[in-house]
Amino acid sequence: MTVESVLLFVLGVVVFIVGLLVSIGLHELGHLSFAKLFNVKVTQYSLGFGKAIWSFTRGETEYGIRPILLGGYISMVGMLKPRASGKPSAITNTGMYGAFVQDARQASAEQIAESGGDDSRAFYRLTPWKRIIVMVAGPAMNLVIGIVLFGVLLCGFGAPTTTFTSSVDCVLPNSRTTTCSSDDAVSPAKEAGIRSGDVVLSVDGKADPTIAEVSTLFQRSAGKELTVVVERDGARKTLEITPVTATRDVYRSDGTVAKNEDGTTKTQQVGVVGVSIGQSLVRQSPTAVLPATGAQISASAHLIIDLPQRLVAVWNAAFGSQARSQDSPVSVVGVGRAIGEVSSMSGVPIVDKAYTILGLLASLNIGLFVLNMVPLLPLDGGHIAGALWEAVKRRSFTLVGKADPGPIDLAKTMPLTMVVVVLLAGMSALLIYADIVRPVNLFG
């Protein structure tokens, strides 16, 4: 590795750290803005965890940056409903469950007392819909960042699209021949009028086909006329093309040529058209942004749903000989490493590097949005679920003529919350370790 590649790797990591700080900062700013709008007292706004390495105080809020960049937080007074002074505890057992609940209530009461003893500005005093807005505002910022980045990618750079990159005038007799002779037949690509740069919209009715799908269709369709729809200079063109049979070498999955038992090259009869197939970035209209964002949200949701079995695979890779798949979940360390590798690649155009880095940051923000909406405390979705349950409960009491039960007691969920915290910490530790000793190879 050269000095230049090391510097580029470091630059890529720095770009990622800045992007991560912006994502975390805007997430917490979403919470902060609406909390202050609804007059909740916010004592801290922090990027990262641990002891503050830089901070300042403005008004009643301390703003700071901390070294462990695995998230951020704002400290709102009275996140949990404290037990009223002198009121007997509703939890009668003295086991660990009761201790968790009482400790949570006591901590909330002490926080309110340290803020002057007035709980009128406590978070739990907000109406359910206001609490929902405060908690949704954070993940919503990540969603907005993701949408903006996908907009830049699709409308500014373009979407990777299957393209005919070059063609030959004849049907070459075998894989080792590179030039045409007078005895070679005219290639189906030339007869059909295919040009270099044609964007493939569909082949034989298959819309938006991948490179592999187009290649397979051509190989399996010798003698069969196929309808190919391309885009050329902004206009759609429908072409008819009939692959012809030709002899081609057989390749193994690792890209090497397969051999027969006698050592000769293994060949097969396949359909060919005389065209090379690749990818190019084709700019999309703004209408493509939201569907692309929706597809990424769906992919992130499926990743979380399948997380238990995926983590088993990560464990086997980290502590065994199993290789990590390209769709393996990764930590921020893994994303940062991937961005560093992209930045340090030689021979890759700067546009392609920027595209890949922005794509990773866009996917990261969509992943943060989906993860934070999971309805479990201490995630934002847990607070949202609690507020929704409170709204339903209070409305139900009103309909049957009962007295308003007041704010929901989320302190009762603290034992489960601690379990979730431990699981999240364990998951983060496993992914970080795996990203160090057995990183995902995103680029083949």
Side-chain angles (χ1 to χ4, degrees):
M1 182 175 283
T2 64
V3 174
E4 181 183 6
S5 63
V6 171
L7 292 176
L8 288 173
F9 184 93
V10 172
L11 177 62
V13 173
V14 170
V15 169
F16 166 68
I17 292 174
V18 172
L20 181 63
L21 282 173
V22 170
S23 299
I24 295 172
L26 291 177
H27 176 106
E28 299 305 331
L29 183 63
H31 290 313
L32 179 73
S33 300
F34 283 95
K36 287 185 174 290
L37 178 64
F38 297 141
N39 200 34
V40 176
K41 187 171 184 178
V42 183
T43 58
Q44 281 187 317
Y45 169 96
S46 176
L47 305 183
F49 302 99
K51 186 177 181 180
I53 56 178
W54 178 81
S55 67
F56 67 92
T57 300
R58 179 167 295 173
E60 62 189 11
T61 307
E62 177 195 18
Y63 300 83
I65 296 178
R66 300 169 191 271
I68 305 176
L69 298 178
L70 296 178
Y73 65 91
I74 65 170
S75 180
M76 294 182 285
V77 170
M79 288 286 288
L80 300 177
K81 177 183 177 182
R83 181 164 60 89
S85 178
K87 183 177 179 180
S89 172
I91 304 298
T92 58
N93 70 71
T94 57
M96 185 178 293
Y97 174 80
F100 272 131
V101 174
Q102 297 307 335
D103 287 348
R105 289 172 176 164
Q106 183 62 29
S108 183
E110 290 175 356
Q111 185 186 42
I112 293 172
E114 291 171 358
S115 299
D118 180 13
D119 73 344
S120 62
R121 297 179 62 196
F123 177 75
Y124 82 92
R125 288 289 190 184
L126 293 180
T127 57
W129 69 268
K130 287 184 177 180
R131 295 210 305 277
I132 291 172
I133 290 175
V134 171
M135 300 315 296
V136 167
M141 292 298 286
N142 293 119
L143 177 60
V144 170
I145 295 170
I147 292 173
V148 170
L149 290 178
F150 274 120
V152 172
L153 288 171
L154 296 177
C155 302
F157 290 83
T161 307
T162 302
T163 306
F164 293 132
T165 56
S166 63
S167 61
V168 293
D169 293 336
C170 68
V171 178
L172 298 173
N174 55 60
S175 298
R176 288 166 295 284
T177 304
T178 58
T179 58
C180 295
S181 69
S182 57
D183 296 330
D184 296 329
V186 176
S187 71
K190 183 176 182 179
E191 290 183 336
I194 289 178
R195 297 182 186 175
S196 177
D198 284 349
V199 176
V200 183
L201 301 181
S202 70
V203 176
D204 197 31
K206 172 65 177 178
D208 299 321
T210 64
I211 294 175
E213 288 172 337
V214 174
S215 179
T216 300
L217 278 171
F218 285 163
Q219 291 179 1
R220 295 177 177 176
S221 303
K224 175 185 175 183
E225 185 177 75
L226 301 176
T227 299
V228 179
V229 181
V230 301
E231 181 178 309
R232 181 187 301 163
D233 299 326
R236 294 169 64 97
K237 292 186 176 294
T238 301
L239 309 174
E240 303 296 336
I241 188 167
T242 304
V244 297
T245 302
T247 302
R248 293 292 181 263
D249 294 348
V250 176
Y251 291 88
R252 301 188 184 94
S253 58
D254 61 0
T256 60
V257 177
K259 299 291 185 179
N260 295 310
E261 293 182 359
D262 60 0
T264 58
T265 299
K266 190 174 184 179
T267 61
Q268 62 181 342
Q269 297 293 304
V270 296
V272 299
V273 299
V275 69
S276 296
I277 309 166
Q279 276 191 335
S280 62
L281 294 177
V282 179
R283 289 184 178 179
Q284 307 292 302
S285 71
T287 58
V289 176
L290 290 183
T293 304
Q296 186 60 45
I297 290 174
S298 177
S300 297
H302 280 94
L303 177 65
I304 292 175
I305 292 171
D306 297 336
L307 196 56
Q309 67 186 52
R310 290 176 182 268
L311 289 177
V312 171
V314 172
W315 177 279
N316 292 335
F319 299 100
S321 58
Q322 179 177 315
R324 289 183 72 180
S325 61
Q326 286 194 326
D327 62 351
S328 171
V330 295
S331 67
V332 291
V333 172
V335 178
R337 183 170 185 161
I339 289 178
E341 289 177 351
V342 171
S343 301
S344 62
M345 284 181 175
S346 61
V348 178
I350 187 66
V351 172
D352 292 344
K353 292 182 179 181
Y355 185 92
T356 303
I357 291 171
L358 287 177
L360 288 170
L361 289 174
S363 299
L364 174 65
N365 274 278
I366 296 301
L368 290 173
F369 163 73
V370 175
L371 177 63
N372 275 284
M373 292 303 291
V374 174
L376 291 173
L377 288 169
L379 300 173
D380 297 330
H383 290 283
I384 295 168
L388 288 171
W389 172 244
E390 179 183 320
V392 171
K393 182 178 179 181
R394 297 176 83 164
R395 180 61 176 169
S396 299
F397 273 51
T398 300
L399 290 175
V400 298
K402 291 185 178 181
D404 187 345
I408 194 172
D409 186 6
L410 284 180
K412 295 180 179 179
T413 67
M414 284 309 297
L416 175 60
T417 300
M418 293 304 297
V419 171
V420 175
V421 169
V422 170
L423 290 176
L424 288 175
M427 178 188 73
S428 299
L430 172 62
L431 292 178
I432 290 173
Y433 177 77
D435 288 336
I436 294 173
V437 301
R438 191 66 65 86
V440 175
N441 184 4
L442 296 177
F443 310 105

